[in-house]
Amino acid sequence: MIMRSLARPVNIENIGAINNSGIADSLLQSIQDLVLRNDHVKLTGWPLIKLNPVADDLQHAILRCAYTYWQQCGAGDGRPPRTRRLEPELLRPALGWLAVAEVCADTGAPAFRLFGSELAWRLSADLTNRPIEALPAPFGPFLGAIFRACVAARGPLLVHCAFSDPGADQISGLLLPWVDEHGAVVRVLAAVATRDRGMAGRIPPHSSLIRFRR
């Protein structure tokens, strides 16, 4: 039913796991806006979004590292782990490619509490302590919708985009939810990987952490 509002098919799997129709609609609308402004973002095709991906879906070492850590911190039953176990510094050497967003209890809006050095270098900006949806359109609304979808689904969410830019022709992100003592999703750990020419799926050797405020 949601898919009919779009002019053409979108590669989204397991979207039924988002139990909030408003958030699902916002996600689909943000994808459409991203594609319609293709002259600016230089997307090649439609983004791939998959809720609850399996290990075989994670083609990059950074994503596999983050996913394994998330699983190990959980109780083994598929539920999100507690935030007290979230220690990004344990994820060396992928630290520079990690971001942690905190979810505002009142509005549900996500804001970065950690933004890795490799991500900051690529964007020429440290987004620590900045609201995700305050970023320029169409990126801000798209990223905000992705994070909100992860929170609503209470499970891992994989995003993959292909670009015509040879500097980063493929970008993949894995969002992983973390809960407080009451079981509410309050933080999302995001691992980002690029497949630009010469990387071939390896973890970059010089990743580092910018800062993380508890």
Side-chain angles (χ1 to χ4, degrees):
M1 180 172 65
I2 296 173
M3 300 295 285
R4 292 175 188 165
S5 65
L6 292 177
R8 57 196 297 186
V10 181
N11 193 355
I12 299 180
E13 299 184 35
N14 301 340
I15 196 170
I18 302 178
N19 55 17
N20 184 310
S21 59
I23 290 178
D25 285 339
S26 176
L27 173 61
L28 294 175
Q29 184 61 55
S30 71
I31 294 172
Q32 189 174 36
D33 292 343
L34 190 70
V35 173
L36 289 176
R37 298 182 65 172
N38 196 35
D39 57 331
H40 176 64
V41 298
K42 294 182 172 57
L43 274 173
T44 302
W46 290 76
L48 180 150
I49 298 175
K50 184 171 185 179
L51 289 166
N52 300 313
V54 298
D56 289 344
D57 295 320
L58 309 178
Q59 300 297 315
H60 199 288
I62 290 176
L63 307 187
R64 293 193 298 269
C65 176
Y67 184 64
T68 299
Y69 175 71
W70 184 82
Q71 288 182 310
Q72 291 174 343
C73 288
D77 55 3
R79 290 182 296 177
R82 297 280 187 89
T83 54
R84 57 182 172 79
R85 301 199 62 184
L86 177 55
E87 299 182 72
E89 58 268 22
L90 298 180
L91 287 170
R92 300 181 184 278
L95 283 172
W97 296 90
L98 301 180
V100 174
E102 184 170 30
V103 180
C104 176
D106 295 330
T107 65
F112 288 117
R113 287 176 61 92
L114 173 151
F115 203 73
S117 59
E118 294 287 349
L119 302 179
W121 179 78
R122 297 239 171 188
L123 291 177
S124 300
D126 177 8
L127 302 182
T128 306
N129 298 325
R130 292 186 57 184
I132 295 175
E133 290 166 311
L135 295 175
F139 296 107
F142 173 67
L143 292 178
I146 290 294
F147 274 84
R148 287 174 184 267
C150 177
V151 172
R154 300 178 60 84
L157 186 152
L158 176 67
V159 183
H160 179 80
C161 296
F163 299 88
S164 59
D165 183 355
D169 53 6
Q170 296 184 48
I171 298 179
S172 300
L174 178 66
L175 278 61
L176 302 163
W178 299 71
V179 298
D180 61 12
E181 63 273 15
H182 304 296
V185 177
V186 293
R187 288 187 181 174
V188 175
L189 171 67
V192 179
T194 64
R195 284 184 178 271
D196 45 5
R197 296 187 176 108
M199 283 291 298
R202 297 179 294 106
I203 294 180
H206 301 301
S207 298
S208 60
L209 182 69
I210 286 183
R211 59 176 175 270
F212 180 62
R213 298 192 303 104
R214 294 190 179 278

